């Protein structure tokens, strides 16, 4: 693997040097490809266009990110920003690369979570868009056009992860392929209309199974905190190490979102029954609401409290999009019509 890692470092150096002027664009793209963005950006936008597609996006995002966590624990995988120093191969010739605020993630690197979740979630989006275009135009060529958008998104997100030294190229490719397969499989198994008990059991089951896997691997002498130690050691700015990039943060996000999806469907959301204008208003208000929910400060000590509140935060995400905001918009627009 040394040669693969080494070639990945030199590719990252070339990419940084030749696209230095696009630095801000790469940072924005890597944010859009963040699994968190699937919950906070793609989900509300998709939901108010197509209810089933929106629910599918949330479902696929949660399951694919959970699987990515399991894969990382099993496959390990270095990250470029720490491997440069740990390898000892660049003593005489140091690569001319730099880190960024989004570089210093603390989980293992293989496969890329950004690439994997993006590939899974955006496959749901583009396949739904393609089906809609075909039903309206009956043109195979036009309905296939979203696939080009899909490829462009994956390439952009993958290059952004290499540019900021968060992943090696082979990790990005592995994430894209795995995510694409998951997107095709999971979009056909969307748990729309399932009882709340199903989502509660799924949320608790995924949480407990991941914790048991973590404990089991530790009992076998496998230290799963190795990546956190390396990230802290080699990150150029200590403040770039954030708890919300830790593996257990993604776990609590996924389990919280799934429980939230069950609760939102239990309350029988009415967002999809709104006309187009109130639905657009609901999208705008939901986006602002999720922006502020995401920015809520959480205490980092003790860590158990942080993860518990992080879980609650993502339980709220489907409530805001599917229940609270559409309910308020319906109430005020209905009241206005009466007057």
């Amino acid at each position: 693997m040394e040669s693969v890692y080494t070639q990945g470092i030199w590719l990252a150096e070339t990419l940084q040097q030749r696209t230095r002027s696009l630095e801000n664009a790469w940072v924005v793209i890597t944010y859009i490809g963040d699994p968190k963005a699937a919950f906070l950006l793609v989900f509300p936008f998709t939901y108010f266009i197509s209810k089933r597609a929106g629910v599918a996006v949330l479902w696929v995002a949660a399951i694919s990110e959970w699987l990515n966590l399991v894969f990382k624990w099993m496959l390990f995988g270095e990250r470029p920003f720490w491997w440069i120093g740990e390898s000892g191969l660049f003593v005489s010739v140091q690569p001319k690369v730099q880190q960024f605020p989004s570089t210093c993630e603390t989980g293992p690197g293989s496969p890329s979570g950004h690439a994997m979740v993006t590939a899974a979630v955006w496959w749901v989006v583009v396949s739904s868009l393609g089906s809609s275009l075909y039903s309206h135009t009956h043109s195979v060529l036009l309905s296939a056009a979203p696939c080009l958008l899909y490829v462009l998104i994956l390439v952009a997100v993958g290059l952004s992860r290499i540019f900021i030294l968060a992943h090696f190229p082979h990790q990005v490719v592995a994430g894209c392929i795995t995510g694409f397969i998951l997107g095709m499989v999971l979009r056909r198994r969307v748990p729309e209309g399932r009882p709340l008990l199903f989502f509660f059991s799924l949320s608790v089951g995924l949480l407990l199974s991941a914790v048991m896997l973590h404990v089991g691997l530790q009992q076998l002498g496998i230290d799963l905190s190795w990546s956190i130690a390396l990230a802290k050691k080699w990150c150029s700015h200590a403040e770039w190490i954030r708890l919300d990039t830790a593996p257990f943060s993604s776990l609590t996000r996924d389990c919280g979102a799934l429980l939230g999806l069950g609760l939102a469907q239990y309350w029988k959301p009415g967002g999809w029954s709104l006309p187009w204008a109130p639905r657009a208003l609901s999208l705008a208000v939901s986006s602002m609401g999720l922006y502020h929910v995401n920015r809520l400060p959480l205490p980092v000590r003790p860590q158990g409290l942080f993860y518990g509140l992080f879980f609650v935060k993502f339980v709220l995400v489907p409530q805001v999009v599917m229940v609270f905001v559409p309910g308020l918009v319906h109430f005020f627009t209905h009241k206005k019509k009466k007057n």
Side-chain angles (χ1 to χ4, degrees):
M1 288 298 293
E2 269 191 6
S3 61
V4 174
Y5 285 149
T6 303
Q7 291 302 316
I9 297 298
W10 296 127
L11 177 61
E13 179 189 59
T14 301
L15 186 61
Q16 284 195 3
Q17 290 180 348
R18 294 188 178 181
T19 63
R20 180 69 63 189
S21 60
L22 299 175
E23 176 182 318
N24 292 334
W26 290 130
V27 172
V28 170
I29 291 170
T30 204
Y31 173 76
I32 293 174
D34 193 317
K36 180 172 60 178
F39 298 88
L40 301 177
L41 296 177
V42 184
F43 162 58
F45 180 79
T46 310
Y47 179 77
F48 289 109
I49 296 175
S50 166
K51 178 183 177 181
R52 178 176 172 78
V55 172
V57 162
L58 194 63
W59 161 253
V60 170
I63 298 299
S64 60
E65 189 180 28
W66 184 87
L67 287 171
N68 180 257
L69 172 63
V70 173
F71 291 159
K72 283 180 174 178
W73 279 347
M74 302 297 290
L75 300 175
F76 295 90
E78 309 283 350
R79 287 186 185 268
F81 77 92
W82 74 56
W83 190 80
I84 291 173
E86 286 292 309
S87 67
L89 299 176
F90 302 95
V91 177
S92 57
V93 181
Q94 281 288 324
K96 298 176 181 178
V97 291
Q98 72 175 80
Q99 298 178 18
F100 301 86
S102 300
T103 297
C104 301
E105 296 192 12
T106 56
S110 188
S112 166
H114 280 61
M116 184 169 161
V117 176
T118 297
V121 166
W122 278 94
W123 177 252
V124 174
V125 176
V126 300
S127 57
S128 298
L129 180 59
S131 298
S132 178
L133 286 173
Y134 183 77
S135 64
H136 284 86
T137 65
H138 299 290
S139 170
V140 175
L141 184 62
L142 190 60
S143 63
C147 292
L148 176 61
L149 173 64
Y150 180 71
V151 172
L152 291 176
I153 290 173
L154 293 190
V155 170
V157 170
L159 289 176
S160 75
R161 302 303 288 165
I162 298 170
F163 180 89
I164 69 169
L165 299 182
H167 285 292
F168 290 98
H170 71 280
Q171 296 171 343
V172 169
V173 173
C176 288
I177 294 173
T178 308
F180 171 65
I181 294 171
L182 284 174
M184 288 196 298
V185 172
L186 292 175
R187 72 178 293 266
R188 298 190 180 97
R189 292 166 173 80
V190 180
E192 196 175 14
R194 290 291 191 95
L196 177 58
L197 180 61
F198 169 83
F199 291 95
F200 177 80
S201 302
L202 181 63
S203 177
V204 173
L206 292 180
L207 181 62
L208 291 179
S209 60
V211 171
M212 290 173 63
L213 175 63
H214 186 275
V215 172
L217 290 175
Q218 285 190 320
Q219 291 297 317
L220 293 174
I222 301 174
D223 180 17
L224 294 180
S225 64
W226 67 275
S227 61
I228 299 175
L230 289 178
K232 290 180 178 179
K233 178 181 178 181
W234 293 105
C235 185
S236 60
H237 293 72
E239 64 272 18
W240 290 352
I241 299 288
R242 305 189 314 275
L243 196 54
D244 64 353
T245 69
F248 274 101
S249 293
S250 62
L251 174 62
T252 51
R253 171 168 54 230
D254 302 332
C255 296
L258 288 172
L259 179 58
L261 177 59
L263 286 169
Q265 294 191 121
Y266 175 78
W267 299 122
K268 302 187 187 322
W272 181 245
S273 62
L274 294 172
W276 275 106
R279 212 184 300 173
L281 177 61
S282 296
L283 171 59
V285 176
S286 295
S287 299
M288 289 188 292
L290 293 184
Y291 173 78
H292 290 292
V293 167
N294 182 51
R295 287 178 60 86
L296 286 173
L298 301 180
V300 296
R301 292 288 185 275
Q303 288 191 8
L305 177 61
F306 173 86
Y307 291 131
L309 293 176
F310 203 72
F311 177 88
V312 172
K313 179 187 285 190
F314 280 88
V315 170
L316 289 174
V317 169
Q319 315 308 310
V320 170
V321 175
M322 300 171 66
V323 182
F324 298 154
V325 171
L328 287 173
V329 170
H330 173 75
F331 174 78
F332 285 111
T333 56
H334 186 68
K335 185 177 180 180
K336 185 176 180 181
K337 285 181 180 178
K338 280 188 174 181
N339 294 337

